[in-house]
Structure formats: structure tokens, C-alpha cells
Amino acid sequence: MKSATGSLLLILFFLFFPGSAKEGFSWGIGHRTIGEGVLLRLPESLKKELTPDQIQAFLTYNSYPDSLENVDPNLAGPNAILRMKEFKTQKRFFFHKPEGRCIAFEMLVQSLREKDWNRFVLWLGILSHSTADQISCNHEPLLHFITYCWGEEGMKLTNDFSKCLDLGWIEGDPKTQKIWTDAVRDLSIPNTICNQKEIFFALHTIEWEGLEGNRYSMDLIRAINAWNSSKGYQEQADLARTLVPFGTWAVRRIMIYVHSAIAIAQSTKNGKPLPVRFEPDQVKDLQKWIDRFILDRPITDDAFIVPFLPPAGSDPKIGILYDPSGRMGEGFFSFIDRVAAGLIAGSLQHRGSAGILDVRKVIRSGIDPKKTPLLILPCSRLTNYYPLKKKNLIDQIVQYRNKGGKILWIGGSPPQEILSKDLFGQMIFNPEKSTYLNPVYTVPMKDLMKSSVLLNGKEEGKFIREPRGKAGWSWPRSPWYFKEGARKAADVFLELKSPDKTRIIGILSPKDHPDFGWLPAYTVFPCIFSGDHPRISPFELKLDSTEEKILEYAVDSLLLL
């Protein structure tokens, strides 16, 4: 079974410095806020067992998994070390994975049975961190982009906009802190206790259920803007109430684990303690659950995309393909492609008939080129993702094109079935090794920042900002470009002029009557070619002026020819 967080292991290292809590990043402060919420709802019978030092240790352990250091054997205990060795790791970041959460739960039960309160607060802190991560608002695509690409690249956001995205903001004022603590105290915690199979299933599925937080993104942006504009009490309170659901979701889940651990710790079988151990067959139905969730999750749960959805029963003239399936760094498409789809839709809205299309619906039903003559695919990466198979999408796109539909692919290298034979051999890439901190582009970064883009031979913009952020997954890695031989088969309309030479980065094919266009991902990554700043208050999701001109040229060329 594919691990939902396997691709995040190195990412977690760069989000937080190893060996430290690094509370200035994302939910560093927010993790402590969640921990304080857990303490508010911890059963009194447990709380009275803990010393003040142990309570402080628990709050510190709420950031324990954010490190590449090994787990301290003296801290974790021999049983935990042996269990981790079964998964061939001793690293603290392992506890971000569902298997890590399951082991943490096992150790939580053991510490309760042994009344080992030093280890109890460790495992509770680890579970608290890993659970809160699933609902962290900076894991929602748009808020992630704002935090790490706009908020961290020297683009001043109104009154520290990005700081308000952290739950920890709520503790900056006694009035907002009271709103939080009241919500936690009023939180309904189910008393029904899961059996082992159910609890281990829940420790896995929260990775998808946490996407519930995506529903609140636009509410949060509006609340931050209102607070920054007025600094009034009502707006401050409204922002606090908008942040609360992120925290209470996590506290409620953590308390379910606590009550389950207490029940299992007190259970016996034939006079002996009930064994507690994660086994793969305990979650054998997990794959079916994930498949159903991915196929059935409403696209409207990604709130920022809702304004760009076509009216029910209608088909947009320009369809922008959107993948709502993935979580954090995962998905059928790349994580950044979701934000790119919104940026493209926002820039084309003035045309009156441009809208988002759900990729799952396209796979099921195809596209009618008479109703939607142009399909834009912001697709930096296309990969099989649980029930979504790339072959099924490729087949539908080929059929659509054969019936007269036109395609603009933005991002990675299109499949051979879609890129013509004449062009497939002409597409090459910068052979630099792509790493987390150094994503690869058409040319090395030092040369990219000395480059400009030429639209039909005329310079339209220079790189004034690097097309990457300080952390996260929303970076438009784009090493692809075309050899000069592509000019025989395609109309070249966009080039990258670099210190060493000029490279082809935008084509329309075939040359006389194009039905296919391609652009690199960084052409829909706003504010890198112009002095434009993000449109935050009032919020507006669209490309900058240079990118809009490039996009409009490609769209018009495909629709008019």
C-alpha cells in the first residue's frame, strides 16, 4: 500500500530545522496551541498524574517529529526502538507517517499500563503533532502558496498577512485566546471507544479527512483582510472564530485516541492485558476507503476554486482541468497545478466562458469539443494516484483532440500520445539534478535570473524574482524546452533569452493549423516577470500582466485558427 506521506520526508526537514522546534515556521506555534487545547480536555484522572515539568515536556514534544535526528532510545524506550527498526528507521520524522502514528499509539497504551508518565507525554505529544499536521491550513493549496511563495519572497503582505494563517495567532490577545479556549471546552468528544482495528484505521484515514480544512480557505482570507483593514474587535473575533475549526478538529481527533488508549490499556483477555499492535490486516479495507474518498470528494471542498466553476449543467468554452484528489504534496497532478488552475481561471474570467473542469469527470465522461473547444491542462506532473490512472485521462484527451478539440498543456512533458511524433524527439530538459531546495528550470537559476522572455521575438519581461519560495511544494519545476528543430513542426511564439543562448519554451503545433500548445510552468507563477505584488486586499487570484499576455496569445491562437 502506498504511504500517503512517503514523499514528504525530506520536505519536513526543510520546513523545520533538524533538532529544533523552530516555532517561527507554519504551525510551529500552532502545534503548541493544539497541545494546550489537548490539556484542557485531558481527563482529570490523567492530568492529576502529571507534574508541571511533564506538562511542559508535553508541549515541547508537540514539535518532536519535525527533525531528521534519530529518536533518543532513553526517551522512547526499547520497545519503540524495536518497532521502528521493523520499518527500517530511527528518525523522528517517521511519526508523520500513518505507521508512525500507529506505533506512537501502541506506545501510548503501554505507557498508560505502566503509568510511565514521562513516556506518556512524549507519545501524546507526537500524536498531537502528527494529527494537527493533517488539518494545518498551510497544507491547503492556496494558503500554502500564499505562505511560502508570496509571504516569504520579499512581497509584503498587508500587516503580516501570512502570520494570521497560523493558529498560534489566536493566542496573541486574551480576547481571541478566550474564543479558542471556550470552543475547546464546548467541544463534543465522543465517549464511544474504538476497537484496535477501528483506531488504527482512523490513524490512517485522517490524512484525507484533514482536507476538510480546505473548505475554510476563502473564509480565512476574507477574515484576515477584514481584520487588517479595521483592527476592530468584531473583525478580530471573526478571524479567531474562522481559525478555531482547524484547531478543534485536531483536538477532537487526539482526544478520541486518548479515550481509546485508556480503554485498551484497561482491557484484558483471559486475565492478561489485551495485546495492542498495528498489523496490516487491521486496515485491509483502507485502500477501498481511500479510493472512494478520492473519487467522491466534492470539488467544492477546495473553496478557492468555487468561483471558477461553470454553472450547473453548462460547459465552459475554455475548460481548465483541475485535480481535487490529492493531499499536501500528492495528487494525480502536481500540488502547484491546483493553484495554477485558479490563477489561469482568474485571468481568463473576463472572457465570459472560462471555467474549471474536474479531471475525474473528464475521465468518466470525456469532453465535447463542440461545447468546450479549448482545454487547458496545468499539469506539471501526471502520475497514477490510487484509482486515478493516467492512461484513462490520456485516452480521453486523445479522443477529444481527434474530434476537433484543442489543447494547451502547461507544465511538464506531455505524454507521447499527445505530443506529435515530430515534436516528441525535439523536447529535451536541463539535466541538472532537481532537489528540494534547488528545483530545476530550463537553465540554472543563476542564468535564469539573467534571462528574459521573448513573445514573438519581442522582449516581454525579465526575471526579477526567483520562481520558487522558501519552503513547501508550490514551486514550478520546469526543466523542459525544445530543440531548434521544433521550428519545422511548430510555430514558436515564446523563447527564453539567457546569457548563453535563446531557447524555445512556447510552441503551437502543427505549424499551419495548431491544435496543441505548450508552455513551461513558470509562465503561470505570478509576480516573477513584473513588479506586481500579490492582490491580497481585496483578494484577487490571477496572473501578472506579462503572464496574462503570454497566456492570452496562446489561447487566442488556438481558438482562432
Side-chain angles (χ1 to χ4, degrees):
M1 182 184 70
K2 179 180 176 182
S3 167
T5 51
S7 63
L8 304 182
L9 301 183
L10 288 177
I11 290 172
L12 293 166
F13 168 69
F14 293 110
L15 285 175
F16 300 83
F17 291 146
S20 73
K22 191 61 180 175
E23 293 192 333
F25 270 118
S26 64
W27 270 44
I29 299 172
H31 277 300
R32 186 179 180 91
T33 304
I34 294 292
E36 290 167 347
V38 169
L39 288 172
L40 277 174
R41 295 307 305 265
L42 203 63
E44 287 300 323
S45 58
L46 277 182
K47 204 181 304 184
K48 70 180 183 181
E49 301 284 355
L50 305 180
T51 67
D53 285 347
Q54 288 167 337
I55 287 173
Q56 286 304 312
F58 162 69
L59 294 174
T60 299
Y61 292 145
N62 266 264
S63 290
Y64 190 79
D66 278 332
S67 171
L68 279 184
E69 290 183 350
N70 285 345
V71 171
D72 181 348
N74 294 322
L75 185 65
N79 289 340
I81 298 301
L82 286 172
R83 287 291 278 131
M84 292 181 72
K85 283 182 178 178
E86 293 178 34
F87 291 88
K88 298 181 172 55
T89 184
Q90 298 294 294
K91 302 296 184 184
R92 285 158 56 171
F93 61 64
F94 169 70
F95 293 110
H96 288 92
K97 301 180 68 175
E99 296 87 351
R101 285 194 294 276
C102 288
I103 290 176
F105 181 82
E106 293 175 19
M107 297 302 115
L108 188 72
V109 172
Q110 180 179 314
S111 65
L112 283 165
R113 283 175 173 164
E114 297 174 355
K115 300 187 184 302
D116 186 338
W117 305 117
N118 287 327
R119 287 189 177 139
F120 170 79
V121 294
L122 168 68
W123 299 116
L124 182 59
I126 287 171
L127 274 175
S128 178
H129 176 99
S130 192
T131 301
D133 262 359
Q134 311 314 314
I135 194 71
S136 173
C137 63
N138 74 334
H139 290 170
E140 188 270 355
L142 178 61
L143 298 180
H144 182 92
F145 183 81
I146 290 173
T147 301
Y148 293 121
C149 295
W150 281 351
E152 300 287 347
E153 276 300 297
M155 292 181 243
K156 284 287 185 182
L157 303 180
T158 309
N159 291 328
D160 295 323
F161 183 101
S162 57
K163 290 183 180 179
C164 298
L165 295 172
D166 192 303
L167 181 67
W169 173 88
I170 218 163
E171 296 197 84
D173 186 288
K175 295 187 290 293
T176 54
Q177 188 169 32
K178 184 178 186 303
I179 291 171
W180 161 245
T181 54
D182 286 349
V184 173
R185 288 194 178 100
D186 293 342
L187 191 61
S188 173
I189 307 293
N191 292 321
T192 53
I193 303 300
C194 304
N195 60 34
Q196 284 191 52
K197 179 179 178 180
E198 291 171 334
I199 194 67
F200 290 138
F201 192 90
L203 287 161
H204 281 75
T205 57
I206 60 167
E207 301 208 317
W208 283 269
E209 291 172 340
L211 291 177
E212 181 180 335
N214 291 16
R215 300 175 189 173
Y216 311 132
S217 62
M218 295 310 297
D219 291 340
L220 187 53
I221 287 171
R222 283 189 285 267
I224 292 172
N225 279 333
W227 156 240
N228 282 329
S229 297
S230 72
K231 295 297 182 182
Y233 171 72
Q234 186 59 52
E235 289 76 17
Q236 184 185 30
D238 288 344
L239 175 54
R241 293 189 184 98
T242 308
L243 280 166
V244 159
F246 293 97
T248 52
W249 184 95
V251 172
R252 186 175 187 275
R253 297 302 175 106
I254 295 160
M255 294 315 303
I256 290 173
Y257 305 149
V258 169
H259 286 293
S260 298
I262 292 170
I264 294 172
Q266 294 172 348
S267 299
T268 59
K269 186 176 182 179
N270 299 325
K272 296 181 179 180
L274 186 70
V276 53
R277 180 183 172 90
F278 163 66
E279 301 292 352
D281 65 347
Q282 291 170 317
V283 289
K284 63 183 179 181
D285 295 328
L286 180 64
Q287 188 70 58
K288 293 178 182 178
W289 183 94
I290 295 171
D291 288 352
R292 285 196 305 272
F293 181 91
I294 287 173
L295 291 174
D296 296 340
R297 178 178 181 256
I299 192 171
T300 51
D301 279 4
D302 284 355
F304 76 95
I305 217 70
V306 171
F308 309 122
L309 294 173
S314 67
D315 297 282
K317 183 177 180 182
I318 302 171
I320 300 132
L321 212 54
Y322 184 83
D323 166 31
S325 68
R327 52 171 301 280
M328 290 159 45
E330 297 184 344
F332 193 42
F333 291 1
S334 179
F335 195 69
I336 189 178
D337 296 328
R338 296 162 86 161
V339 178
L343 289 162
I344 293 167
S347 286
L348 294 178
Q349 248 190 342
H350 69 279
R351 300 179 73 104
S353 186
I356 294 294
L357 293 179
D358 190 330
V359 68
R360 300 168 302 180
K361 184 177 179 180
V362 170
I363 289 174
R364 288 194 307 268
S365 309
I367 319 168
D368 184 348
K370 292 179 181 178
K371 296 177 179 177
T372 304
L374 176 61
L375 179 65
I376 300 177
L377 288 95
C379 185
S380 300
R381 180 202 65 209
L382 179 62
T383 184
N384 293 332
Y385 188 66
Y386 295 103
L388 300 178
K389 307 303 179 186
K390 59 184 181 180
K391 181 183 183 303
N392 295 336
L393 177 62
I394 292 167
D395 287 346
Q396 291 287 16
I397 294 174
V398 169
Q399 290 181 40
Y400 165 77
R401 191 178 183 187
N402 289 340
K403 293 176 182 177
K406 298 184 178 183
I407 300 162
L408 177 59
W409 194 292
I410 301 177
S413 174
Q416 188 170 3
E417 297 91 334
I418 294 170
L419 195 62
S420 70
K421 292 180 180 178
D422 290 339
L423 283 175
F424 192 78
Q426 297 296 326
M427 202 170 196
I428 58 175
F429 61 93
N430 171 9
E432 281 187 296
K433 183 179 179 181
S434 185
T435 63
Y436 178 72
L437 281 179
N438 293 292
V440 170
Y441 299 95
T442 307
V443 295
M445 182 61 74
K446 62 181 178 63
D447 293 329
L448 194 70
M449 297 310 297
K450 299 173 184 176
S451 301
S452 58
V453 286
L454 310 179
L455 180 59
N456 289 322
K458 179 184 176 182
E459 183 176 290
E460 285 296 337
K462 295 181 178 180
F463 282 85
I464 63 171
R465 294 190 181 100
E466 294 183 354
R468 59 181 178 179
K470 296 295 185 185
W473 310 285
S474 291
W475 296 0
R477 303 165 191 266
S478 199
W480 299 98
Y481 61 99
F482 288 90
K483 299 177 185 177
E484 282 298 307
R487 295 183 188 274
K488 296 178 181 179
D491 174 24
V492 173
F493 72 95
L494 195 68
E495 297 169 282
L496 183 74
K497 185 179 179 182
S498 300
D500 62 338
K501 67 176 184 178
T502 299
R503 293 169 175 81
I504 299 169
I505 59 169
I507 59 97
L508 297 167
S509 171
K511 199 165 189 175
D512 296 330
H513 299 283
D515 63 359
F516 174 83
W518 185 88
L519 286 167
Y522 50 78
T523 58
V524 291
F525 191 87
C527 305
I528 61 171
F529 295 122
S530 70
D532 297 349
H533 281 253
R535 300 169 179 88
I536 294 294
S537 183
F539 182 76
E540 187 177 25
L541 192 62
K542 62 188 301 188
L543 304 171
D544 67 35
S545 53
T546 300
E547 292 164 341
E548 281 191 346
K549 192 168 185 178
I550 294 169
L551 177 65
E552 289 274 7
Y553 180 87
V555 167
D556 287 339
S557 298
L558 288 166
L559 284 178
L560 295 176
L561 295 174

